[in-house]
Amino acid sequence: MRPLGELEAQIMNRLWTWGRPAPARDIHADLNRTRPIAYSTVKTVAEILFRKGMLQREKQGRAWQYEPTCSRQQYTASLMQDALGDNPDPAGALLSFVEQMSASEVEALRSALRAAKRRGEA
Amino acid sequence: MTSTLFLAGYAAFVGVFAPRVLARARWTHRAPRLAVLAWYALMATFLVTVTLAAYHLVLREQHVHDGLVGLLSACGLFPVGSASHAAADPATLLPPALVVLLPAGWFLDRVWRTRRAQRRHVALLAVVGNPSADHDAVIVDHDTPVVYCLPGRYRQVVVTRAAIKVLSQEQLGAVLAHERAHIAGRHHLCHAMVDAFGRSFPGLPLARQAKGQVALLLEMAADDRALRLHSRENLAAAMCEVAAGRAPRAAFGAGGSSAAVRLHRLLVPAATPGRAARLGVVGGSLAALLVPLLIACGPFFG
């Protein structure tokens, strides 16, 4: 994945873990513990996330406080909605390994598989 | 007028009758890639036929040129300027051009929309997914087993934790190979083409049939590619596990889901068609494409 995308994920992950609004300086300080990174880079990526609608911000004193607009679970749910075909999705944007099936059909598939295995062993 | 009528008749044959025959053919599941080619040949034939029919219709209505020179210019075999100013007239070229430009426009629209949807999806993936070098895929924390890929510019295979949990190492390998086959084969473009054709000719049996058939055949082609490196048992078992983990769907169309068809194909392998049969399909596809040109340009019909 792109380095910038990685930093986006790290910033989002920290804010989700903290569960409170935080200024870019706090995020930078925490990121800096694991690897050297420029404050301006963190600030820029936080602004990118804000423009993408993933972070909201509020001014407190002189600094912006950032906070995720949605929880991690909400993002995952939205992602899975794309993948499971609940969203109308243009042809071929995502190609799923198997599509949805009825319970009886899954059972039929399983017994077919078992029968084939027995044949293979016999 | 005769050639226009013949072209219209041939268009009806290719658009209505031929897809029924191809959809019922038994060899298609044994040679999915060849069958996809046959479907594209039918769609191309339909396009060429309708284009030529539209062109002829306009030419006849203008009553400009008959005879040999008119015929040759109608086929584009005669220099347009010297033969007939009718062919150079934009009004003459507009209907046939529309027949070609409409699907081309829809195709670009599909590709663009796909890319936009993927961009949004990739932005989400970037924040909630964990790239895994071991699997060469992005892992998402979710308790439904799901495996899918984004083909095209943002090529990426995505797997949920639940899928990794329910699948054995070998089964997961087979599934990932299937998804990579979609990416390597640029199957999203195949989908976009069929989709564009369907949007251009809504309600046409050929468009309706092609959409479902090509989607299934592309899955089979990806299965076949995965089987080069993985066993049938692993791929089939993986299909069951992933399907079983998903919320079941209540209602059903006739003939069962495509997964059932794919699984039976995996469990009961059939020999791929021989060289002669393959050549026959390719030859038939080419012949189907040549017929409208023969009708339009041949010496038999005026």
Side-chain angles (χ1 to χ4, degrees):
Chain A
M1 200 161 278
R2 293 168 300 119
L4 205 61
E6 207 175 296
L7 188 54
E8 285 180 12
Q10 286 170 345
I11 292 175
M12 294 301 289
N13 279 331
R14 270 167 183 75
L15 288 169
W16 275 323
T17 313
W18 293 341
R20 61 170 170 83
R25 197 156 292 285
D26 289 10
I27 304 167
H28 172 245
D30 199 52
L31 282 170
N32 235 348
R33 265 184 243 158
T34 48
R35 60 171 171 146
I37 189 163
Y39 171 72
S40 59
T41 310
V42 177
K43 179 83 189 152
T44 307
V45 175
E47 278 303 302
I48 290 172
L49 286 167
F50 167 70
R51 275 205 300 279
K52 279 188 183 172
M54 291 175 154
L55 291 181
Q56 53 198 16
R57 60 179 195 184
E58 201 176 305
K59 200 145 208 177
Q60 259 185 20
R62 288 179 56 212
W64 290 109
Q65 302 264 335
Y66 293 94
E67 189 181 18
T69 42
C70 295
S71 71
R72 177 187 260 283
Q73 287 74 19
Q74 280 168 319
Y75 275 120
T76 309
S78 166
L79 201 67
M80 286 299 115
Q81 248 169 38
D82 282 358
L84 298 172
D86 296 340
N87 292 350
D89 156 44
L94 306 176
L95 299 176
S96 207
F97 177 55
V98 287
E99 91 275 28
Q100 234 168 340
M101 291 193 281
S102 75
S104 64
E105 193 167 31
V106 170
E107 203 34 61
L109 288 188
R110 282 224 157 123
S111 60
L113 192 63
R114 276 195 297 271
K117 262 191 195 144
R118 272 200 301 277
R119 272 203 307 279
E121 282 159 11
Chain B
M1 207 61 219
T2 330
S3 54
T4 311
L5 279 177
F6 269 98
L7 284 170
Y10 189 63
F13 170 79
V14 172
V16 180
F17 180 71
R20 275 191 208 154
V21 175
L22 187 54
R24 284 198 200 132
R26 298 176 68 90
W27 61 268
T28 51
H29 291 185
R30 286 184 279 137
R33 294 196 323 164
L34 197 62
V36 169
L37 194 82
W39 280 106
Y40 283 128
L42 276 189
M43 288 187 276
T45 304
F46 184 82
L47 267 185
V48 169
T49 310
V50 174
T51 307
L52 285 173
Y55 188 52
H56 271 241
L57 200 62
V58 177
L59 266 195
R60 295 299 147 198
E61 278 189 353
Q62 293 199 343
H63 297 294
V64 183
H65 273 272
D66 275 311
L68 192 63
V69 173
L71 212 64
L72 287 177
S73 70
C75 302
L77 296 175
F78 206 85
V80 165
S82 61
S84 102
H85 43 267
D89 184 1
T92 318
L93 291 174
L94 192 64
L98 267 181
V99 176
V100 178
L101 288 178
L102 192 66
W106 276 120
F107 175 74
L108 292 178
D109 174 78
R110 291 284 92 181
V111 170
W112 184 72
R113 273 172 197 271
T114 298
R115 218 170 251 185
R116 202 177 52 174
Q118 288 185 342
R119 209 162 32 231
R120 192 191 86 88
H121 195 88
V122 164
L124 285 172
L125 260 185
V127 291
V128 296
N130 300 303
S132 155
D134 289 350
H135 300 104
D136 192 15
V138 175
I139 299 170
V140 175
D141 263 315
H142 199 259
D143 46 15
T144 307
V146 185
V147 185
Y148 63 93
C149 71
L150 291 101
R153 178 181 286 182
Y154 302 99
R155 59 189 68 108
Q156 188 88 262
V157 179
V158 183
V159 189
T160 59
R161 283 246 184 260
I164 294 179
K165 214 172 185 179
V166 297
L167 296 175
S168 72
Q169 196 75 26
E170 293 79 23
Q171 289 167 354
L172 184 62
V175 179
L176 293 177
H178 170 102
E179 292 306 323
R180 286 194 199 108
H182 279 313
I183 294 175
R186 297 173 195 281
H187 289 175
H188 63 298
L189 294 180
C190 302
H191 281 288
M193 275 197 262
V194 176
D195 209 75
F197 187 80
R199 296 236 156 205
S200 311
F201 305 100
L204 184 75
L206 172 59
R208 236 185 10 247
Q209 296 264 25
K211 196 170 167 65
Q213 292 285 325
V214 169
L216 175 59
L217 291 166
L218 288 174
E219 290 301 323
M220 290 177 174
D223 285 343
D224 286 353
R225 182 86 181 245
L227 290 183
R228 286 188 199 172
L229 294 173
H230 301 271
S231 74
R232 292 179 174 275
E233 292 71 36
N234 281 331
L235 189 60
M239 226 176 255
C240 279
E241 291 305 329
V242 176
R246 289 181 55 169
R249 200 178 68 164
F252 246 123
S257 70
S258 76
V261 178
R262 280 165 61 200
L263 192 100
H264 284 292
R265 181 175 171 270
L266 286 178
L267 297 179
V268 190
T272 52
R275 197 182 160 80
R278 289 174 166 269
L279 281 175
V281 173
V282 173
S285 302
L286 282 176
L289 248 172
L290 284 178
V291 168
L293 297 172
L294 281 178
I295 296 176
C297 311
F300 316 111
F301 314 110

